[in-house]
Amino acid sequence: MNDHQPGKPLVEVRDAARWFDVSAPWLERVLARKPRTMLRAVDGVSFTINRGETLALVGESGCGKSTIARLLVGLYPLTRGEIQIDGESITELNGPKGPSLRRRLQMIFQDPYASLNPRWRVGRIIAEPLKAHTKMSPAEQDARVDELLKQVGLDPADKSRYPHQFSGGQRQRISIARALAVRPEFLVCDEPTSALDVSVQAQVLNIMKDLQRELGLTYLFISHNLAVVHHVADRVGVMYLGRIVEIAHRDELFKNPRHPYTRMLLSAIPDIEGHGRPRTPVAGEVPNPLNPPSGCTFHPRCPQARPLCKETTPQPVRIGVTEVACHAVEHSWTSESDA
Ligand code: SF4
């Protein structure tokens, strides 16, 4: 799915796919005459992100959003497709241009404690990327660590303490400081606040927004929490079983959701935009991704499903500023029209 924006985007993802081979061991497979089993975690995802913009990807767990985060920073190779950062393919991450490209994109993980070395003092943790990617002297690194700690609202004196001496929110600020050390342009944020108390989440999100304004950062923000997404995103992509089913500007998506799955997700949360939508739980379970339904993979849960939905995968179509992959939207089905 492509969203057309004026100007050259910083991030371009085209038909990205990541399949995992989850087959039984070879001998067992041969004896039982079983074919290989592929988990299509991401299967044909396209989007762009403009400079200074935040694109959020939302969806239930297992929809493929964290796999996309890892594809973007080169932690997984692509099975198919192409990802470019400012015109450079991320396949270059392992080539001669790797170090300079790697500096430009950084990742913030969900669990700050797991991503910080517990045996290192905070100063060493934040200085590590400076050692790896710059020629700064120890004194320059020290000054940069102080600057970064101040930027994320911590005290430079905190650099001599260990991660366990900080709260969850402070640890995530340390992770952000470390990610910013080499002055990246693009941050991939995988559920950066979901391990934090609700009261602390807003503080961390506000720091991220302030830093974005100050430093001109571009974010891909992964979350299952639509309230968080509403707070941070400029545009939102909704994922279901490895595909983006709807992508639109945030306000349009929250005011006028078009895909039945987006409507289902929005109806399960408090009425953020005040449109009076009734609050209803998300119905049904996400199908087994190893055996996805035919056609539109959402059809077993969709109140608008018709026979065509079981047979044919809907392709993305543009309706105003929204791109959506749904036969009902494409063919303007109404509840009264013939199936
Ligand atoms: Fe529902 Fe059919 Fe649209 Fe899929 S294509 S979301 S099953 S109406």
Side-chain angles (χ1 to χ4, degrees):
M1 188 174 290
N2 255 317
D3 46 333
H4 306 290
Q5 296 282 322
K8 180 146 177 59
L10 179 68
V11 180
E12 291 185 87
V13 177
R14 285 186 229 112
D15 193 31
R18 174 62 191 166
W19 299 0
F20 293 95
D21 188 344
V22 291
S23 309
W26 176 79
L27 187 58
E28 192 183 312
R29 198 156 42 81
V30 170
L31 292 174
R33 295 174 185 240
K34 281 187 193 161
R36 281 192 176 282
T37 311
M38 302 302 285
L39 172 67
R40 300 180 179 204
V42 172
D43 198 21
V45 163
S46 301
F47 59 82
T48 58
I49 314 178
N50 293 316
R51 285 170 201 278
E53 183 182 46
T54 299
L55 174 71
L57 291 180
V58 289
E60 292 163 283
S61 75
C63 69
K65 53 194 192 304
S66 288
T67 303
I68 289 185
R70 280 156 179 74
L71 287 172
L72 273 161
V73 294
L75 288 176
Y76 293 148
L78 283 161
T79 304
R80 185 183 79 229
E82 171 71 0
I83 296 176
Q84 291 191 345
I85 312 291
D86 202 15
E88 301 273 11
S89 169
I90 54 141
T91 53
E92 295 285 346
L93 280 171
N94 298 317
K97 291 183 184 166
S100 65
L101 185 54
R102 204 172 286 282
R103 272 183 68 160
R104 301 177 69 184
L105 50 116
Q106 295 288 317
M107 185 155 176
I108 299 171
F109 294 91
Q110 176 178 357
D111 182 351
Y113 199 58
S115 67
L116 301 176
N117 187 331
R119 289 186 295 276
W120 286 8
R121 294 180 196 274
V122 163
R124 184 175 173 193
I125 290 171
I126 297 174
E128 182 63 17
L130 299 173
K131 284 196 186 101
H133 293 289
T134 73
K135 294 191 171 102
M136 282 183 171
S137 68
E140 287 168 332
Q141 288 174 20
D142 206 40
R144 177 78 179 128
V145 168
D146 289 0
E147 181 188 21
L148 287 158
L149 283 167
K150 281 191 224 155
Q151 272 183 324
V152 298
L154 292 174
D155 187 333
D158 288 334
K159 66 187 169 189
S160 57
R161 299 165 70 199
Y162 290 93
H164 73 267
Q165 295 176 287
F166 293 87
S167 67
Q170 289 171 325
R171 285 198 288 262
Q172 197 55 295
R173 289 175 196 227
I174 295 165
S175 301
I176 294 168
R178 180 182 55 182
L180 293 177
V182 290
R183 304 185 195 276
E185 294 154 73
F186 177 43
L187 284 186
V188 176
C189 314
D190 188 9
E191 304 265 13
T193 60
S194 58
L196 306 177
D197 291 345
V198 173
S199 59
V200 181
Q201 286 191 17
Q203 291 168 18
V204 174
L205 293 173
N206 287 336
I207 284 175
M208 292 181 68
K209 282 178 82 170
D210 290 347
L211 289 167
Q212 181 175 40
R213 262 193 303 273
E214 212 176 296
L215 306 172
L217 297 166
T218 303
Y219 289 148
L220 175 69
F221 197 97
I222 306 288
S223 181
H224 66 279
N225 184 328
L226 278 162
V228 167
V229 163
H230 186 269
H231 189 66
V232 297
D234 298 305
R235 284 183 303 135
V236 181
V238 179
M239 288 197 69
Y240 191 76
L241 277 189
R243 294 208 167 110
I244 293 180
V245 295
E246 179 164 5
I247 188 164
H249 287 268
R250 176 198 63 183
D251 293 345
E252 177 65 15
L253 188 116
F254 278 82
K255 276 185 200 147
N256 191 15
R258 294 176 185 271
H259 195 281
Y261 179 58
T262 311
R263 289 207 290 271
M264 188 186 280
L265 287 180
L266 284 174
S267 70
I269 62 166
D271 191 8
I272 294 169
E273 290 270 351
H275 297 290
R277 273 190 291 273
R279 195 171 170 189
T280 49
V282 174
E285 300 282 325
V286 180
N288 180 354
L290 289 174
N291 186 20
S294 60
C296 171
T297 54
F298 186 58
H299 82 251
R301 301 170 77 185
C302 180
Q304 289 175 262
R306 296 189 181 184
L308 174 65
C309 304
K310 294 182 191 170
E311 292 154 14
T312 311
T313 304
Q315 297 305 311
V317 290
R318 179 167 279 272
I319 313 269
V321 294
T322 301
E323 277 199 30
V324 57
C326 170
H327 293 307
V329 177
E330 185 176 356
H331 302 297
S332 305
W333 290 344
T334 62
S335 49
E336 292 81 31
S337 62
D338 290 334

